[in-house]
Amino acid sequence: MPLPEEVKKRLIAARRKRLLTAGEYVSGIEKGDRFILSRAITLVESTKEEHRALAREIISKCLSLSGNAFRVGITGVPGVGKSTFIESLGKHVIAGGSKLAVLTIDPTSNVTGGSILGDKTRMEELSADERAFIRPSPAGDSLGGVARKTREVMILCEAAGFDTIFVETVGVGQSETAVHSMTDFFLLLLLPGGGDELQGIKRGIVEMADAIAVNKADAQPAAAKEAKRAYRNAVHLFPAKESGWPVRTFLCSALQREGLDKIWQELRRYRSQSKENGYFELKRRTQALYWFEETIQERLGHAFRKHPAVANKMPELADAVVAGQITPFEAADDLLKLFL
Ligand code: GDP
């Protein structure tokens, strides 16, 4: 006999409140239970130490279940069409039988709420599809913190069976480096017309790209062709990639859903080729080392600032540095002595 609605509601509410054990979270995630996955992600994002400790346990248990997905970074300036592109390409990808998770790194998404990406209703069709899982950027007070959380969320999603992960970022600053260091392939979206300076894109970001797609080719076909040509010439001047992969330039319309199939084929080609020649695995290992070092730095910094004697002395020394009474190096050494 089905449970009465009222009882069901109460059961769900109780389930929602109670923290499960790490094992319960992991077995829920492994079964692909989206509700449990979401709750585990909330723990990863939490600032409470109790939640963080539980999250760490869940992540380390999920690690062996993760790593099999294809991780794609997607970037471009606000308005280039990232969410439209991800919606269109995402639909194409799930139609091909994949399970897709879309994560975001938005360094402007802070603890108090505001963000560049967060306010719009984005990717409505994908959000409604159970083969896709969309999670907005975790909040954080530093890019490093936001990036680390996103990476951990990625591990949970992979353990839950998502075989394709898109990590989107706003192409306005340092966040590309973070996305680049956690994905297998990096796709840069550009607008028709205008060089990278005009589009506010740093050259370093263009150099990071494994493929470039000029979006909105439907609206400005001539300018889009011109941009494609200009970028194709520009990438020839860059030093060859460590992967040996030749960067190609594409035209597409995310809105009209044109040109996406070719781009997806290119990504898949990269995946199989780099797996064959060993670069895929090499890059993953290098990334693991990067995150190892990042985590040490972050944890050390956190422990340092939390240390009572350091926290006590820090404001006084900071004032003295500003007043020119002590050099920054001496002041730092003094604090380090207290810590060590
Ligand atoms: P985001 O800020 O990079 O996520 O950009 P959005 O996906 O929100 O798109 C910004 C605007 O560009 C929206 O009004 C979209 O409808 C529009 N747009 C996105 N892709 C295309 C495209 O391929 N062609 C045209 N004409 N408009 C597009």
Side-chain angles (χ1 to χ4, degrees):
M1 197 178 75
L3 287 173
E5 270 315 302
E6 206 32 54
V7 177
K8 251 200 232 164
K9 269 191 202 150
R10 260 189 275 138
L11 272 178
I12 290 174
R15 208 173 147 211
R16 222 182 263 277
K17 267 200 202 135
R18 186 171 71 86
L19 283 184
L20 309 176
T21 63
E24 285 172 319
Y25 279 107
V26 177
S27 72
I29 290 171
E30 208 177 345
K31 282 188 207 119
D33 182 329
R34 300 165 70 100
F35 180 69
I36 303 257
L37 173 65
S38 295
R39 285 193 52 192
I41 294 176
T42 307
L43 292 178
V44 168
E45 293 173 348
S46 170
T47 46
K48 278 195 191 154
E49 193 38 50
E50 176 200 2
H51 292 168
R52 295 278 319 131
L54 185 54
R56 278 199 289 274
E57 208 182 326
I58 299 167
I59 292 159
S60 64
K61 286 191 159 76
C62 281
L63 262 179
S64 61
L65 305 167
S66 74
N68 293 323
F70 185 29
R71 305 166 177 171
V72 180
I74 299 175
T75 195
V77 293
V80 70
K82 289 181 296 303
S83 62
T84 315
F85 181 88
I86 291 172
E87 169 112 317
S88 301
L89 184 63
K91 292 208 59 141
H92 181 76
V93 168
I94 57 180
S98 287
K99 279 182 77 189
L100 169 73
V102 180
L103 312 178
T104 303
I105 290 193
D106 179 355
T108 61
S109 160
N110 55 32
V111 191
T112 50
S115 80
I116 294 184
L117 295 173
D119 306 335
K120 297 184 275 179
T121 311
R122 311 176 85 237
M123 305 170 218
E124 273 174 6
E125 282 182 46
L126 265 190
S127 314
D129 196 306
E130 61 176 28
R131 293 165 295 179
F133 181 80
I134 299 182
R135 188 80 182 187
S137 180
D141 45 19
S142 71
L143 169 61
V146 172
R148 176 183 49 74
K149 287 177 197 168
T150 304
R151 191 168 187 275
E152 292 174 350
V153 171
M154 181 159 82
I155 290 166
L156 300 185
C157 289
E158 290 183 359
F162 291 92
D163 55 42
T164 309
I165 315 277
F166 288 172
V167 186
E168 174 197 15
T169 192
V170 198
V172 289
Q174 283 298 308
S175 52
E176 283 80 6
T177 315
V179 173
H180 186 248
S181 63
M182 65 173 85
T183 51
D184 306 312
F185 191 98
F186 193 64
L187 176 67
L188 173 63
L189 296 183
L190 292 171
L191 290 165
D196 29 321
E197 305 84 16
L198 276 182
Q199 299 197 18
I201 294 162
K202 296 206 186 81
R203 197 185 173 90
I205 295 171
V206 183
E207 285 189 44
M208 261 188 244
D210 295 303
I212 292 174
V214 179
N215 190 34
K216 306 199 184 182
D218 59 308
Q220 293 169 268
K225 273 196 193 129
E226 176 54 28
K228 176 175 161 102
R229 198 190 55 77
Y231 278 101
R232 198 183 50 213
N233 292 340
V235 295
H236 282 317
L237 301 175
F238 294 157
K241 285 194 163 304
E242 199 192 4
S243 55
W245 180 254
V247 177
R248 297 211 300 159
T249 340
F250 296 85
L251 287 180
C252 70
S253 164
L255 197 64
Q256 305 293 337
R257 306 200 167 167
E258 282 162 11
L260 303 174
D261 189 28
K262 260 192 168 170
I263 296 174
W264 185 236
Q265 273 173 22
E266 176 82 350
L267 267 69
R268 288 169 60 103
R269 208 164 60 78
Y270 175 89
R271 176 163 135 130
S272 57
Q273 194 170 311
S274 65
K275 279 203 166 176
E276 230 164 72
N277 68 22
Y279 184 75
F280 192 91
E281 194 47 42
L282 178 74
K283 189 170 175 187
R284 286 266 176 113
R285 286 190 191 171
T286 314
Q287 290 176 336
L289 202 57
Y290 169 85
W291 284 100
F292 169 63
E293 282 165 10
E294 276 285 306
T295 308
I296 291 177
Q297 285 203 14
E298 198 198 302
R299 298 260 159 88
L300 264 182
H302 185 70
F304 180 70
R305 282 164 205 283
K306 280 249 156 168
H307 188 280
V310 171
N312 196 19
K313 191 84 178 158
M314 179 95 86
E316 185 190 315
L317 277 173
D319 285 347
V321 168
V322 173
Q325 293 155 350
I326 183 170
T327 70
F329 313 103
E330 280 174 287
D333 279 344
D334 284 356
L335 279 187
L336 279 166
K337 270 183 211 136
L338 288 176
F339 182 62
L340 297 170

